[in-house]
Amino acid sequence: MHRWSQLFIPTLREAPADAEVASHKLLLRAGYIRQLGAGIYSYLPLGQRALNKIVAIVRQEMDRIGQEFLLPTLNPVELWQESGRESVMGQNLFHLKDRKGAELVLAMTHEEVITSIARNELRSYKQLPQVWYQIQTKFRDEPRPKGGLLRVRQFLMKDSYSFDMDDAGLDVSYRKHDDAYRRIFTRCGLDFVAVEADSGAMGGSGSQEFMVYTEAGEDLIASSASGYAANLEKATSKLAPVQDLEATGDGLPELVSTPGKAAIADVTEFFGIHASQDIKCVAFMGSRTGQAASEPLRPVVAFLRGDHQVNETKLNAIAGTAELRPMLPEELELYIGGPAGYLGPVGIAQGMTQGSLNGLKSGKPLDRVKGIFRDVPTEGLKTIVVMDLGLEGRANLVAGANKQDFHLRNVTPGRDFTPTVIADIRNINEGEPDPFAGEPLRLGKAVEIGHIFKLGTKYTESMGSRALNAAGKEVTPIMGCYGIGIERILTAAIESSAAAFAKLTTDDAKLKTQPDSNATGSQGSRTPEPSYALPAAIAPYAVVVTITNVREAPLLEAGERIAAELDAAGVDTLLDDRDERAGVKFKDAELIGIPYRINVGKKLAQGQIELVDRLTETTIDLPLDQVAAHLKALTTSKP
RNA sequence: CGGGGCGUAGCGCAGUCUGGUAGCGCACCUGCUUCGGGAGCAGGGGGUCGGAGGUUCGAAUCCUCUCGCCCCGACCA
């Protein structure tokens, strides 16, 4: 039991002007954190207590599936050069020199270090599988830290790594993490979704992000009532069938003069068609990560339905590029053969021949496409033509003719042009049916709290980790890597709760204003103070016992006794024994986000106290002898 | 890195345009009153006006340079 009068809890009535998002303001006002620099924060006692509770839950669940390490943050740069990530990570990796001039980096993740241990120690299949984890400070020189603790340059991460002899083993390790993560986030009281994610710069096959919907988030995710959920970078949808146009004339592509009709809206109006019956062309020049300026850019041309949008992450994955920029007019002429506004797939100057691609024409053999495009840029490679799945099997579409002021109709993919590859390269739209159950998709911002990843042999291969299998044959262990942002669990919990409170107060305001038309208007335009409450499992204290007036001896004595009883019952208790007015103490208790408050006040004369449940915004009276048992039941988390 | 904004007491701000003794609210200290929703009255402490240079009799204010922070974008296991 801690006494508020002796603690350092510097609450603020007003948030510093720099704070924008709710969790940032509240963490500052509640005395959880103070800022030291851009993306650098000190955790004050309350913040540290909350983080410690989260860490304890994470550790408890991780110990069920793995073993804890503590790896060094200070890494010799050579280690990162060996894996090739020193250049890949670029400026995001902090660099420094020691007194001898040797270059060091501050680790932003630990694949390299853990693999260096694995390659020295893991020699036999008998030693596998292994799941190794740590909870440790990570450093990333973010280009733009923001949102308080949401994106920072120094933060706590639980990272783990699995080593298995084969894919089946990796599946097991991955599944164990999936289960552990769900238990962890559930115990932390978060309402989360697990989404399919893009593999990004990590490389590898499967990956899943754990997200919490919040306006403060930086990612866009799609989910539906059926349980389907995916990052927008990966999300797909089932498209409603489109009625194709009737063929005109001899059914072959027909040149139509369309002077000045460059925009899709103009074209569809001119032909009297829907945008879904038109082919849109989006053309890029792509480059690879760390590509030298001297290396030629890769032309990437995407065709998709007129009413669809390109998703550049998906397109990058297909084209084996990392960055795309729009083609310049002369590039359009060179690689497509037409002017902007009249670009189309028919007769496109496609350098990738049937032969060079070994008949890669559908989305299926993507890995082989990646193999060609990513690792062995083909000599004389010209335009990569990617057609979106939304055009597959369609007929008699309208498209640019690659000729100023002309379009073609009766364009049928497969017959009139052959894309290099057919793949999903579009953004889904809100409300489209999900790919499995057909439930409408909801798009929303979310914050990523965890990520699990089937890594493969990227590091074990490049860093030379090998183990002998039962047959005495040398194999490369397969890795998985898995991360949880500790601070993000805290911020996500605050953001979610603050949003729920904000909704309550606005609903409340609506209720109040509706029936009472002659109200005095006192609610005015003042925005309600943001409020929140943390789940008991991660709050710095589960309960605060508020003695409404410490100068009244019976109240003080009862408060002390109740707090001691709670303490004895194992409930993490804060006793507000300050000589302050009751109002101040109520406000402070709410500000620091404690989920349960016991008011020791007037009702003591009847042998009762009030229990305020901040999560449900309800208050009940309880007899003194039931307090400890009641709170213990409320606050005990089940591991 | 591109665009925008802001640096004046612990926090929130005014003062800058038009140069002339650095102010307000909250917080803090003392006293009295008050005591279940951020109390009232009285008194008090606290400032290199982000930093450096310049213009001027005189600079928070004008000029130059610079540092820091926030937001949007780019970027981002």
Side-chain angles (χ1 to χ4, degrees), chain A residues 85-162:
Chain A
R85 286 211 299 182
E86 201 240 343
S87 56
V88 172
M89 294 309 177
Q91 300 235 291
N92 270 30
L93 190 59
F94 276 106
H95 287 75
L96 63 148
K97 281 195 167 116
D98 70 12
R99 63 173 70 206
K100 293 180 294 190
E103 266 193 74
L104 299 163
V105 299
L106 296 180
M108 51 197 295
T109 169
H110 279 79
E111 282 80 6
E112 281 80 1
V113 177
I114 209 89
T115 308
S116 79
I117 293 171
R119 71 176 165 194
N120 289 336
E121 313 292 340
L122 298 178
R123 290 267 108 100
S124 157
Y125 72 97
K126 293 174 187 167
Q127 293 173 290
L128 298 183
Q130 289 291 332
V131 172
W132 295 345
Y133 83 95
Q134 64 167 342
I135 298 165
Q136 185 237 28
T137 301
K138 296 285 186 278
F139 293 86
R140 296 183 184 183
D141 195 359
E142 293 285 346
R144 187 152 92 83
K146 60 177 165 180
L149 294 187
L150 278 172
R151 180 165 290 279
V152 289
R153 296 196 289 173
Q154 170 177 349
F155 61 98
L156 284 169
M157 174 183 269
K158 186 292 297 173
D159 48 321
S160 45
Y161 309 89
S162 62

XYZ file of all heavy atoms in Angstrom, chain A residues 85-162:
651
model
N 22.043 -5.428 -43.154
C 21.018 -4.469 -42.730
C 21.561 -3.098 -42.338
O 20.793 -2.176 -42.099
C 20.205 -5.055 -41.572
C 19.253 -6.114 -42.060
C 18.023 -6.165 -41.234
N 18.288 -6.493 -39.850
C 17.320 -6.623 -38.952
N 16.071 -6.453 -39.289
N 17.615 -6.932 -37.717
N 22.875 -2.981 -42.259
C 23.411 -1.664 -41.929
C 22.985 -0.672 -43.009
O 22.585 0.448 -42.706
C 24.935 -1.702 -41.828
C 25.496 -0.543 -41.024
C 26.446 0.345 -41.799
O 26.933 -0.091 -42.860
O 26.684 1.475 -41.369
N 23.029 -1.107 -44.258
C 22.612 -0.201 -45.331
C 21.101 -0.179 -45.485
O 20.519 0.872 -45.746
C 23.266 -0.610 -46.643
O 22.959 -1.952 -46.946
N 20.462 -1.319 -45.266
C 19.005 -1.360 -45.417
C 18.328 -0.404 -44.432
O 17.404 0.324 -44.774
C 18.477 -2.795 -45.195
C 16.961 -2.809 -45.153
C 18.977 -3.717 -46.292
N 18.796 -0.403 -43.198
C 18.172 0.428 -42.173
C 18.558 1.891 -42.293
O 17.874 2.765 -41.780
C 18.531 -0.098 -40.777
C 17.943 -1.456 -40.491
S 16.169 -1.495 -40.848
C 15.780 -3.206 -40.511
N 19.650 2.129 -42.962
C 20.046 3.513 -43.235
C 20.116 4.370 -41.994
O 20.662 3.960 -40.963
N 19.502 5.534 -42.085
C 19.600 6.525 -41.014
C 18.781 6.159 -39.786
O 18.915 6.798 -38.753
C 19.127 7.868 -41.546
C 19.953 8.347 -42.717
C 20.503 9.715 -42.455
O 19.772 10.693 -42.414
N 21.780 9.799 -42.245
N 17.906 5.163 -39.923
C 17.112 4.791 -38.766
C 17.943 4.120 -37.681
O 17.524 4.011 -36.541
C 15.984 3.856 -39.179
C 14.743 4.639 -39.546
O 14.842 5.764 -40.013
N 13.588 4.057 -39.325
N 19.104 3.640 -38.088
C 19.993 2.968 -37.153
C 20.936 4.021 -36.543
O 21.619 4.743 -37.259
C 20.792 1.919 -37.930
C 21.633 0.895 -37.194
C 20.792 0.059 -36.247
C 22.330 -0.013 -38.209
N 20.940 4.085 -35.209
C 21.845 5.023 -34.531
C 23.283 4.519 -34.634
O 23.557 3.354 -34.327
C 21.492 5.140 -33.051
C 20.396 6.114 -32.752
C 19.128 5.668 -32.420
C 20.631 7.482 -32.793
C 18.112 6.568 -32.142
C 19.627 8.393 -32.507
C 18.363 7.927 -32.181
N 24.179 5.380 -35.026
C 25.598 5.025 -35.123
C 26.402 5.798 -34.088
O 26.082 6.936 -33.796
C 26.151 5.382 -36.508
C 25.672 4.467 -37.598
N 24.396 4.534 -38.111
C 26.294 3.473 -38.279
C 24.258 3.608 -39.053
N 25.394 2.949 -39.183
N 27.444 5.196 -33.557
C 28.359 5.939 -32.705
C 29.744 5.299 -32.769
O 29.907 4.198 -33.298
C 27.860 6.014 -31.259
C 27.718 4.723 -30.475
C 27.992 5.012 -29.002
C 26.325 4.153 -30.612
N 30.712 6.025 -32.252
C 32.090 5.530 -32.264
C 32.610 5.431 -30.841
O 32.308 6.284 -29.998
C 32.989 6.526 -33.023
C 32.872 6.407 -34.536
C 34.025 7.125 -35.229
C 34.080 6.725 -36.695
N 33.832 7.826 -37.608
N 33.403 4.405 -30.580
C 34.005 4.337 -29.256
C 35.343 5.101 -29.263
O 35.729 5.685 -30.254
C 34.157 2.882 -28.798
C 35.226 2.119 -29.579
O 35.997 2.761 -30.318
O 35.280 0.886 -29.450
N 36.047 5.079 -28.128
C 37.242 5.905 -27.986
C 38.366 5.508 -28.945
O 39.244 6.282 -29.244
C 37.753 5.843 -26.544
C 38.182 4.439 -26.127
C 38.838 4.498 -24.762
N 37.875 4.787 -23.698
C 38.216 5.377 -22.546
N 39.454 5.749 -22.334
N 37.319 5.569 -21.624
N 38.286 4.253 -29.377
C 39.304 3.810 -30.320
C 38.920 4.098 -31.765
O 39.648 3.789 -32.685
C 39.550 2.300 -30.156
C 40.184 1.955 -28.830
C 40.414 0.452 -28.701
C 39.106 -0.294 -28.653
N 39.252 -1.711 -28.298
N 37.723 4.650 -31.906
C 37.258 4.957 -33.256
C 36.481 3.822 -33.892
O 36.065 3.925 -35.044
N 36.267 2.753 -33.134
C 35.501 1.642 -33.683
C 34.028 2.033 -33.777
O 33.502 2.686 -32.879
C 35.657 0.409 -32.792
N 33.399 1.626 -34.862
C 32.000 1.996 -35.076
C 31.060 1.027 -34.398
O 31.191 -0.193 -34.519
C 31.688 2.027 -36.568
C 31.833 3.405 -37.185
C 31.219 3.449 -38.563
O 29.967 3.452 -38.634
O 31.976 3.472 -39.545
N 30.076 1.591 -33.708
C 29.056 0.789 -33.040
C 27.684 1.292 -33.485
O 27.550 2.432 -33.935
C 29.172 0.930 -31.525
C 30.494 0.469 -30.906
C 30.650 1.044 -29.508
C 30.551 -1.045 -30.855
N 26.693 0.437 -33.346
C 25.328 0.882 -33.577
C 24.495 0.529 -32.355
O 24.851 -0.357 -31.581
C 24.702 0.231 -34.837
C 25.500 0.594 -36.070
C 24.595 -1.283 -34.682
N 23.388 1.270 -32.175
C 22.440 0.931 -31.118
C 21.372 0.049 -31.751
O 20.718 0.450 -32.714
C 21.807 2.198 -30.530
C 22.778 3.153 -29.829
C 22.018 4.367 -29.292
C 23.509 2.443 -28.702
N 21.216 -1.145 -31.231
C 20.333 -2.119 -31.875
C 18.893 -1.639 -31.909
O 18.371 -1.139 -30.919
C 20.426 -3.448 -31.147
N 18.270 -1.780 -33.066
C 16.859 -1.434 -33.192
C 16.005 -2.693 -33.181
O 14.776 -2.625 -33.122
C 16.623 -0.625 -34.465
C 17.183 -1.224 -35.718
S 17.287 0.006 -37.050
C 15.557 0.347 -37.292
N 16.663 -3.832 -33.213
C 16.039 -5.142 -33.149
C 17.214 -6.111 -33.029
O 18.357 -5.694 -33.111
C 15.167 -5.394 -34.394
O 14.783 -6.757 -34.428
C 15.916 -5.085 -35.661
N 16.946 -7.412 -32.800
C 18.091 -8.257 -32.442
C 18.268 -9.537 -33.244
O 18.832 -10.505 -32.742
C 18.039 -8.573 -30.941
C 18.583 -7.444 -30.104
N 17.858 -6.329 -29.819
C 19.797 -7.266 -29.555
C 18.599 -5.504 -29.088
N 19.779 -6.038 -28.913
N 17.802 -9.551 -34.478
C 18.017 -10.734 -35.310
C 19.507 -11.063 -35.419
O 19.917 -12.228 -35.338
C 17.452 -10.532 -36.717
C 15.949 -10.689 -36.832
C 15.210 -9.447 -36.379
O 15.869 -8.429 -36.086
O 13.968 -9.497 -36.291
N 20.326 -10.049 -35.606
C 21.750 -10.275 -35.798
C 22.399 -10.895 -34.563
O 23.130 -11.878 -34.650
C 22.464 -8.947 -36.129
C 22.306 -8.494 -37.569
C 20.970 -7.818 -37.832
O 20.167 -7.682 -36.879
O 20.718 -7.433 -38.985
N 22.127 -10.288 -33.406
C 22.765 -10.776 -32.184
C 22.304 -12.196 -31.862
O 23.114 -13.070 -31.547
C 22.457 -9.829 -31.001
C 23.055 -10.378 -29.723
C 22.996 -8.432 -31.289
N 21.000 -12.411 -31.982
C 20.473 -13.729 -31.620
C 20.991 -14.784 -32.602
O 21.306 -15.913 -32.216
C 18.916 -13.700 -31.563
C 18.421 -14.723 -30.551
C 18.277 -13.965 -32.899
C 18.294 -14.186 -29.157
N 21.119 -14.402 -33.864
C 21.622 -15.373 -34.842
C 23.103 -15.655 -34.618
O 23.582 -16.776 -34.859
C 21.369 -14.866 -36.280
O 20.000 -14.515 -36.416
C 21.723 -15.929 -37.311
N 23.810 -14.662 -34.134
C 25.232 -14.898 -33.862
C 25.392 -15.892 -32.715
O 26.337 -16.678 -32.688
C 25.952 -13.583 -33.551
O 25.717 -13.181 -32.222
N 24.457 -15.875 -31.786
C 24.492 -16.877 -30.726
C 24.095 -18.230 -31.293
O 24.761 -19.239 -31.054
C 23.539 -16.477 -29.576
C 24.078 -15.226 -28.884
C 23.406 -17.624 -28.572
C 23.120 -14.626 -27.877
N 23.046 -18.226 -32.077
C 22.551 -19.484 -32.638
C 23.624 -20.184 -33.468
O 23.828 -21.387 -33.354
C 21.313 -19.213 -33.491
N 24.341 -19.425 -34.288
C 25.298 -20.087 -35.186
C 26.477 -20.664 -34.416
O 27.115 -21.608 -34.860
C 25.793 -19.131 -36.264
C 26.716 -18.049 -35.757
C 27.235 -17.217 -36.908
N 27.826 -15.991 -36.392
C 28.134 -14.940 -37.148
N 27.923 -14.976 -38.438
N 28.669 -13.872 -36.612
N 26.755 -20.092 -33.258
C 27.853 -20.620 -32.460
C 27.439 -21.800 -31.597
O 28.267 -22.628 -31.242
C 28.413 -19.531 -31.537
C 29.174 -18.473 -32.313
O 29.660 -18.744 -33.415
N 29.252 -17.282 -31.752
N 26.157 -21.829 -31.253
C 25.733 -22.785 -30.233
C 24.805 -23.886 -30.730
O 24.795 -24.970 -30.163
C 25.038 -22.048 -29.083
C 25.770 -20.811 -28.581
C 27.078 -21.135 -27.869
O 27.239 -22.291 -27.437
O 27.939 -20.238 -27.768
N 23.979 -23.578 -31.726
C 23.002 -24.573 -32.162
C 23.615 -25.422 -33.268
O 23.755 -24.971 -34.397
C 21.709 -23.899 -32.644
C 20.961 -23.080 -31.588
C 19.722 -22.428 -32.188
C 20.571 -23.958 -30.403
N 23.953 -26.644 -32.921
C 24.681 -27.504 -33.845
C 23.863 -28.697 -34.306
O 24.146 -29.288 -35.339
C 25.941 -28.038 -33.141
C 26.995 -26.985 -32.897
C 27.962 -27.006 -34.057
N 27.821 -25.860 -34.912
C 28.611 -24.791 -34.866
N 29.596 -24.709 -34.002
N 28.415 -23.798 -35.704
N 22.879 -29.059 -33.476
C 22.185 -30.317 -33.729
C 20.685 -30.140 -33.642
O 20.190 -29.285 -32.894
C 22.623 -31.344 -32.682
O 21.648 -32.365 -32.546
N 19.997 -30.956 -34.409
C 18.533 -30.941 -34.352
C 18.049 -31.236 -32.944
O 16.938 -30.880 -32.571
C 17.969 -31.975 -35.343
C 18.155 -33.412 -34.923
C 17.121 -34.097 -34.275
C 19.367 -34.090 -35.143
C 17.289 -35.419 -33.873
C 19.543 -35.396 -34.744
C 18.497 -36.060 -34.103
O 18.664 -37.353 -33.696
N 18.911 -31.890 -32.142
C 18.496 -32.218 -30.776
C 18.340 -30.964 -29.919
O 17.699 -30.990 -28.883
C 19.523 -33.152 -30.116
C 19.583 -34.522 -30.756
C 20.706 -35.341 -30.158
C 20.903 -36.654 -30.908
N 22.154 -37.312 -30.541
N 18.968 -29.877 -30.357
C 18.869 -28.639 -29.567
C 17.654 -27.800 -29.971
O 17.362 -26.799 -29.330
C 20.140 -27.806 -29.761
C 21.385 -28.439 -29.179
C 22.620 -27.642 -29.562
O 23.028 -27.630 -30.724
N 23.196 -26.962 -28.595
N 17.013 -28.184 -31.048
C 15.895 -27.400 -31.540
C 14.576 -28.107 -31.224
O 14.571 -29.315 -31.060
C 16.024 -27.195 -33.049
C 17.278 -26.426 -33.482
C 17.253 -26.217 -34.980
C 17.381 -25.114 -32.752
N 13.461 -27.413 -31.191
C 13.333 -25.979 -31.416
C 13.736 -25.137 -30.205
O 13.800 -25.660 -29.096
C 11.841 -25.811 -31.686
C 11.202 -26.912 -30.905
C 12.169 -28.061 -30.956
N 13.975 -23.864 -30.458
C 14.239 -22.904 -29.388
C 13.357 -21.679 -29.590
O 13.165 -21.235 -30.722
C 15.702 -22.447 -29.405
C 16.704 -23.499 -28.975
C 16.615 -23.840 -27.488
O 16.207 -23.012 -26.680
N 16.998 -25.062 -27.145
N 12.869 -21.141 -28.481
C 12.208 -19.831 -28.506
C 12.929 -18.964 -27.492
O 12.950 -19.283 -26.299
C 10.703 -19.924 -28.161
C 10.117 -18.524 -28.000
C 9.956 -20.685 -29.245
N 13.557 -17.912 -27.983
C 14.348 -17.028 -27.128
C 13.741 -15.641 -27.154
O 13.461 -15.102 -28.233
C 15.802 -16.962 -27.651
C 16.529 -18.273 -27.549
C 16.163 -19.375 -26.826
C 17.750 -18.626 -28.221
N 17.084 -20.384 -26.977
C 18.071 -19.954 -27.820
C 18.609 -17.957 -29.094
C 19.211 -20.616 -28.284
C 19.742 -18.611 -29.551
C 20.040 -19.926 -29.149
N 13.572 -15.066 -25.980
C 12.986 -13.718 -25.970
C 13.708 -12.820 -24.991
O 14.493 -13.277 -24.150
C 11.495 -13.793 -25.631
C 11.171 -13.877 -24.145
C 10.867 -12.720 -23.420
C 11.161 -15.091 -23.470
C 10.550 -12.786 -22.066
C 10.850 -15.168 -22.118
C 10.542 -14.018 -21.425
O 10.243 -14.079 -20.097
N 13.433 -11.535 -25.127
C 13.946 -10.559 -24.169
C 12.989 -9.380 -24.112
O 12.158 -9.186 -25.002
C 15.339 -10.071 -24.585
C 15.331 -9.323 -25.903
C 16.621 -8.568 -26.168
O 17.407 -8.306 -25.272
N 16.824 -8.186 -27.415
N 13.105 -8.610 -23.038
C 12.331 -7.383 -22.901
C 13.367 -6.302 -22.662
O 14.081 -6.333 -21.650
C 11.338 -7.465 -21.724
C 10.337 -8.600 -21.975
C 10.625 -6.127 -21.555
C 9.552 -9.010 -20.756
N 13.479 -5.394 -23.621
C 14.668 -4.556 -23.606
C 14.425 -3.266 -24.373
O 13.499 -3.162 -25.173
C 15.797 -5.391 -24.239
C 17.142 -4.778 -24.236
C 17.657 -4.686 -25.642
O 16.885 -4.582 -26.579
N 18.969 -4.726 -25.789
N 15.258 -2.293 -24.135
C 15.111 -0.994 -24.783
C 15.653 -1.033 -26.206
O 16.748 -1.524 -26.444
C 15.869 0.078 -23.985
O 15.339 0.118 -22.669
C 15.706 1.438 -24.632
N 14.851 -0.529 -27.124
C 15.259 -0.456 -28.523
C 15.471 1.001 -28.920
O 14.801 1.895 -28.398
C 14.173 -1.047 -29.423
C 13.943 -2.525 -29.189
C 15.060 -3.350 -29.786
C 14.786 -4.826 -29.700
N 15.116 -5.413 -28.405
N 16.376 1.206 -29.858
C 16.654 2.554 -30.339
C 16.415 2.649 -31.843
O 16.920 1.817 -32.594
C 18.110 2.929 -30.049
C 18.397 3.070 -28.584
C 18.737 1.963 -27.827
C 18.289 4.294 -27.966
C 18.978 2.080 -26.472
C 18.529 4.423 -26.610
C 18.878 3.311 -25.860
N 15.635 3.623 -32.247
C 15.423 3.858 -33.676
C 15.406 5.351 -33.917
O 14.638 6.072 -33.283
C 14.091 3.254 -34.130
C 14.106 1.760 -33.979
C 12.848 1.113 -34.486
N 12.926 -0.312 -34.198
C 12.020 -1.204 -34.552
N 10.957 -0.818 -35.215
N 12.178 -2.460 -34.254
N 16.222 5.783 -34.836
C 16.271 7.210 -35.136
C 15.163 7.530 -36.118
O 15.411 7.708 -37.305
C 17.646 7.581 -35.694
C 17.875 9.087 -35.668
O 16.949 9.808 -35.241
O 18.957 9.532 -36.058
N 13.948 7.575 -35.608
C 12.780 7.817 -36.437
C 12.887 9.165 -37.124
O 13.262 10.154 -36.497
C 11.514 7.808 -35.568
C 11.167 6.469 -34.966
C 10.585 5.509 -35.985
O 10.215 5.968 -37.085
O 10.530 4.306 -35.687
N 12.481 9.227 -38.400
C 12.497 10.517 -39.078
C 11.549 11.501 -38.410
O 11.799 12.691 -38.358
C 12.056 10.207 -40.503
C 11.616 8.802 -40.523
C 12.073 8.123 -39.267
N 10.450 10.979 -37.913
C 9.531 11.882 -37.233
C 8.830 11.198 -36.073
O 7.801 10.558 -36.257
C 8.481 12.415 -38.213
C 7.620 13.475 -37.575
C 7.104 14.442 -38.582
N 5.807 14.059 -39.107
C 4.664 14.333 -38.490
N 4.666 14.977 -37.360
N 3.541 13.959 -39.020
N 9.386 11.344 -34.877
C 8.698 10.827 -33.696
C 7.413 11.622 -33.520
O 7.353 12.801 -33.890
C 9.666 11.131 -32.546
C 10.941 11.531 -33.187
C 10.608 12.050 -34.542
N 6.375 10.990 -32.971
C 5.136 11.746 -32.781
C 4.174 11.055 -31.847
O 4.336 9.880 -31.513
C 4.462 11.993 -34.122
C 4.086 10.732 -34.862
C 3.355 11.104 -36.146
C 3.286 9.926 -37.076
N 2.591 10.253 -38.308
N 3.183 11.828 -31.446
C 2.089 11.258 -30.663
C 2.478 10.797 -29.277
O 1.980 9.784 -28.807
N 3.361 11.524 -28.616
C 3.759 11.101 -27.275
C 4.516 9.793 -27.352
O 5.529 9.690 -28.027
N 3.981 8.756 -26.710
C 4.684 7.470 -26.708
C 4.355 6.614 -27.922
O 4.841 5.500 -28.046
C 4.332 6.677 -25.437
C 4.809 7.263 -24.112
C 4.535 6.286 -22.971
C 6.296 7.587 -24.144
N 3.551 7.134 -28.832
C 3.137 6.303 -29.972
C 4.286 5.998 -30.926
O 4.421 4.898 -31.425
C 1.999 6.971 -30.740
C 0.616 6.749 -30.147
C -0.413 7.607 -30.858
C 0.229 5.285 -30.229
N 5.097 6.976 -31.225
C 6.255 6.740 -32.085
C 7.445 7.486 -31.492
O 7.495 8.705 -31.527
C 5.974 7.213 -33.519
C 7.149 7.006 -34.471
C 6.749 7.142 -35.918
N 5.919 6.038 -36.335
C 6.392 4.835 -36.688
N 7.675 4.624 -36.710
N 5.578 3.883 -37.037
N 8.347 6.738 -30.928
C 9.461 7.336 -30.194
C 10.790 6.768 -30.675
O 10.827 5.830 -31.465
C 9.310 7.081 -28.680
C 8.175 7.900 -28.111
C 9.116 5.606 -28.396
N 11.856 7.332 -30.190
C 13.173 6.892 -30.646
C 13.819 5.896 -29.690
O 14.791 5.251 -30.017
C 14.080 8.116 -30.846
C 13.532 9.019 -31.962
C 14.547 9.996 -32.439
N 14.808 11.015 -31.463
C 15.775 11.927 -31.587
N 16.567 11.914 -32.642
N 15.939 12.840 -30.668
N 13.280 5.829 -28.513
C 13.765 4.853 -27.534
C 12.549 4.258 -26.849
O 11.734 4.991 -26.298
C 14.670 5.558 -26.516
C 15.019 4.680 -25.339
C 15.966 5.349 -24.365
O 16.538 6.393 -24.655
N 16.134 4.756 -23.208
N 12.423 2.933 -26.892
C 11.223 2.324 -26.329
C 11.495 0.889 -25.923
O 12.513 0.300 -26.276
C 10.079 2.379 -27.343
C 10.369 1.642 -28.624
C 9.897 0.362 -28.834
C 11.116 2.251 -29.614
C 10.169 -0.312 -30.004
C 11.405 1.579 -30.797
C 10.930 0.292 -30.999
N 10.552 0.355 -25.149
C 10.688 -1.013 -24.678
C 10.034 -1.965 -25.656
O 8.930 -1.712 -26.121
C 10.008 -1.177 -23.314
C 10.756 -0.601 -22.127
C 9.848 -0.598 -20.903
C 12.009 -1.417 -21.857
N 10.723 -3.043 -25.930
C 10.135 -4.045 -26.798
C 10.381 -5.428 -26.214
O 11.440 -5.705 -25.677
C 10.749 -3.967 -28.187
C 10.277 -5.075 -29.103
S 11.072 -5.002 -30.713
C 9.931 -3.984 -31.573
N 9.339 -6.248 -26.338
C 9.538 -7.666 -26.098
C 9.804 -8.232 -27.480
O 8.948 -8.146 -28.353
C 8.285 -8.293 -25.490
C 8.423 -9.740 -25.071
C 8.587 -10.732 -26.197
C 7.410 -10.799 -27.140
N 7.666 -11.672 -28.323
N 10.998 -8.741 -27.710
C 11.250 -9.369 -29.004
C 11.645 -10.811 -28.781
O 12.343 -11.144 -27.823
C 12.320 -8.616 -29.814
C 13.585 -8.288 -29.031
O 13.463 -7.937 -27.847
O 14.681 -8.381 -29.610
N 11.145 -11.674 -29.651
C 11.533 -13.072 -29.534
C 11.842 -13.658 -30.896
O 11.451 -13.109 -31.927
C 10.472 -13.901 -28.800
O 9.184 -13.605 -29.260
N 12.570 -14.758 -30.839
C 13.085 -15.392 -32.043
C 12.979 -16.890 -31.869
O 13.325 -17.428 -30.824
C 14.555 -14.976 -32.252
C 14.714 -13.470 -32.191
C 14.963 -12.823 -30.976
C 14.538 -12.693 -33.325
C 15.049 -11.442 -30.900
C 14.615 -11.302 -33.260
C 14.879 -10.688 -32.044
O 14.944 -9.318 -31.973
N 12.484 -17.553 -32.905
C 12.376 -19.009 -32.825
C 13.305 -19.645 -33.851
O 13.541 -19.076 -34.924
C 10.925 -19.459 -33.076
O 10.504 -19.103 -34.375
